Amino acid sequence: MNINLENNYLKVNINSLGAELTSIIKKSTGKEYLWQANPTHWKRHAPILFPNVGKYKEGHFFYKGLEYKQGQHGFARDMEFTLIEKTNTSCLFELLYNEDTLKVYPFKFRLRLGYILKDFDLTLTYYVENLGDEKMYFQIGGHPAFNVPFTEGTRGDYYFYFPNKKEIISSKIGLLGLATEEKLTYKLDNGYLRIEDDLFKNDALVVENQDVKEVIICNQNQEKLISLSMDVEVFGLWSASDKAPFICIEPWYGRCDAETFAGEISERKYENELNSNEAFERNYKLHIF
């Protein structure tokens, strides 16, 4: 089921499968800002990552001594959400645990995802609630992809802009998709980082604890196109290959396991926890210039 939101400036579409954002169109120009999921490069638009961000080491985690197998980025992105509220400029989706989720993730959860459109801003809010009797552990994150190049040129003509930053340091991701101890430093030119073809040769850039509140995509003239504002400890920057005509800015409340990790889910770095009946609420905002 496709849900449409619209105001005087933007038209937005969300698919109830995964509660996934699938389109952002600026009405004055008719331009589409969101990647349209061409499977030649990457079949998704902006999936929700839950209950894990990235990979568990060896594709599983342990809880109270029991093993649970789980794929990269979790299962929510491939599940049908229920639409529970809708206006012209907002909607709210819900996903509840079931017998199948309990087989791979032993926690009773309620996950809600809300979208609010205001002027040139789209805010996405996560609500996670622990419906069980024991402490619940989880991660959650976004994975929106944007058309780059936007109108002309190549992806390498475009930039990330990090206001007030001189460098960005990434934790290098190893061949198994796990975080290594190695750090990669990217020097910025007045806050700008060119999106060169080889920028993602080591998989995603994983930026941790550097107090970055906003990432802006700019064109070849360093004019702002779209920004993502967030309050996270970790975020990722990624594209599928050196030729893929899109880039992702990924705000995360979590991260893949480290190559050296050994322990239960409660010991994972950046793991969130909720006591029984407690709730978690966070958001990020997209702005179209």
Side-chain angles (χ1 to χ4, degrees):
M1 176 175 61
N2 289 311
I3 302 300
N4 296 302
L5 307 181
E6 185 171 354
N7 63 13
N8 291 332
Y9 309 102
L10 300 175
K11 293 194 296 185
V12 169
N13 183 268
I14 304 106
N15 193 330
S16 59
L17 180 64
E20 183 176 4
L21 179 67
T22 59
S23 178
I24 305 173
I25 294 175
K26 189 175 183 180
K27 294 174 72 171
S28 63
T29 63
K31 294 294 185 181
E32 173 66 71
Y33 283 72
L34 205 68
W35 169 244
Q36 290 303 289
N38 181 341
T40 300
H41 298 288
W42 191 51
K43 67 178 183 179
R44 301 182 189 269
H45 304 266
I48 304 306
L49 316 182
F50 177 88
N52 52 296
V53 171
K55 292 183 177 181
Y56 292 114
K57 187 176 180 179
E58 298 179 352
H60 60 223
F61 68 89
F62 289 92
Y63 175 66
K64 294 189 173 182
L66 297 178
E67 178 187 15
Y68 294 88
K69 296 185 182 297
Q70 184 66 256
Q72 183 178 24
H73 295 326
F75 50 71
R77 61 184 181 172
D78 295 316
M79 296 186 69
E80 187 71 23
F81 282 63
T82 300
L83 179 67
I84 59 175
E85 293 180 12
K86 169 73 168 68
T87 71
N88 289 336
T89 57
S90 68
C91 61
L92 182 64
F93 293 92
E94 181 178 86
L95 179 68
L96 290 172
Y97 77 94
N98 58 40
E99 291 184 1
D100 290 332
T101 66
L102 289 172
K103 293 175 183 176
V104 295
Y105 178 69
F107 302 104
K108 297 179 179 180
F109 67 87
R110 173 185 286 119
L111 170 60
R112 288 182 171 181
L113 185 65
Y115 291 86
I116 297 177
L117 187 60
K118 183 178 180 181
D119 298 331
F120 289 97
D121 295 337
L122 178 65
T123 301
L124 289 73
T125 301
Y126 305 115
Y127 308 88
V128 183
E129 185 178 356
N130 180 6
L131 302 180
D133 296 327
E134 299 181 335
K135 186 172 289 186
M136 170 181 161
Y137 300 94
F138 72 97
Q139 298 181 348
I140 194 166
H143 202 312
F146 307 102
N147 288 323
V148 174
F150 181 61
T151 54
E152 57 186 12
T154 67
R155 194 178 73 184
D157 296 324
Y158 287 68
Y159 298 86
F160 292 118
Y161 176 55
F162 304 89
N164 304 313
K165 290 293 180 182
K166 296 181 179 180
E167 65 180 20
I168 290 295
I169 301 172
S170 168
S171 299
K172 185 178 179 180
I173 301 301
L175 296 178
L176 298 178
L178 304 175
T180 71
E181 297 295 324
E182 185 177 351
K183 304 295 181 183
L184 304 173
T185 300
Y186 299 85
K187 298 295 184 181
L188 307 180
D189 182 5
N190 293 318
Y192 292 94
L193 176 66
R194 185 183 290 274
I195 306 173
E196 297 177 343
D197 285 346
D198 66 350
L199 185 60
F200 307 107
K201 65 182 179 181
N202 295 306
D203 205 323
L205 278 63
V206 177
V207 183
E208 304 180 51
N209 299 306
Q210 291 177 52
D211 194 33
V212 174
K213 301 299 184 184
E214 183 180 28
V215 181
I216 303 171
I217 299 171
C218 300
N219 66 13
Q220 51 269 66
N221 298 316
Q222 297 185 349
E223 298 167 332
K224 298 176 181 178
L225 299 175
I226 188 167
S227 72
L228 191 151
S229 300
M230 55 193 170
D231 186 10
V232 294
E233 292 183 276
V234 191
F235 68 92
L237 304 172
W238 177 78
S239 190
S241 71
D242 59 357
K243 301 300 182 184
F246 72 89
I247 58 92
C248 296
I249 305 172
E250 307 178 37
W252 296 336
Y253 301 93
R255 195 205 66 185
C256 63
D257 278 337
E259 288 184 338
T260 56
F261 177 72
E264 292 218 342
I265 189 172
S266 60
E267 301 171 281
R268 299 184 74 226
K269 193 171 185 178
Y270 303 114
E271 199 75 12
N272 304 285
E273 59 182 59
L274 290 173
N275 290 319
S276 179
N277 298 316
E278 282 189 336
F280 168 103
E281 179 179 337
R282 300 290 189 276
N283 65 62
Y284 71 88
K285 182 176 71 176
L286 300 174
H287 176 79
I288 304 299
F289 289 93

